[in-house]
Amino acid sequence: MLDEAAIYEALERVVDPCSIATGAPITLREMGMIESIDIDEGAVRVTLRLTSPVCWQAANIIAMVEKAVGALPGADSVVCALNGRAQWMPDMMHPDATARLRRLRPLPEARP
């Protein structure tokens, strides 16, 4: 049966392309980029908030989401939309993802 849990599980296979570039692959869910999931029978709409309003990877992210969710049994149509008004903030990341990232890219120390 197609439900939110199955969709979230499929989205665990979608990794933020910029996090791959940093060497710390982080899923969209861990990044806090999934704003909502709506299911109407077999029609699925996933709405994302991007980490930057000028994200160069937006089209790739949309394609990956639609492919991953579209592969689920019962998903007749999938649309991934972006909420251009939603503001993403680093504190939306899962703490484990933040810790993985900080191990590879520590924050610079504050200067006095």
Side-chain angles (χ1 to χ4, degrees):
M1 181 176 152
L2 185 63
D3 60 10
E4 232 179 70
I7 294 168
Y8 275 116
E9 186 175 324
L11 291 173
E12 287 298 321
R13 295 186 291 278
V14 181
V15 177
D16 172 51
C18 293
S19 72
I20 294 171
T22 68
I26 301 172
T27 68
L28 299 184
R29 188 173 193 182
E30 291 174 310
M31 287 290 296
M33 294 171 63
I34 302 169
E35 183 175 285
S36 65
I37 295 173
D38 298 300
I39 307 166
D40 183 11
E41 309 257 329
V44 179
R45 179 181 178 90
V46 178
T47 304
L48 303 176
R49 56 173 118 10
L50 295 176
T51 58
S52 167
V54 293
C55 175
W56 294 24
Q57 294 293 327
N60 291 330
I61 294 169
I62 290 169
M64 289 186 293
V65 167
E66 290 177 351
K67 182 178 180 181
V69 176
L72 293 173
D76 300 326
S77 68
V78 179
V79 173
C80 179
L82 305 176
N83 181 349
R85 293 188 180 125
Q87 187 174 14
W88 179 89
M89 298 299 289
D91 64 353
M92 293 176 169
M93 290 177 64
H94 189 280
D96 293 343
T98 302
R100 280 197 323 269
L101 181 61
R102 289 297 158 235
R103 278 193 298 274
L104 291 172
R105 299 187 78 187
L107 290 174
E109 291 186 30
R111 294 184 179 186

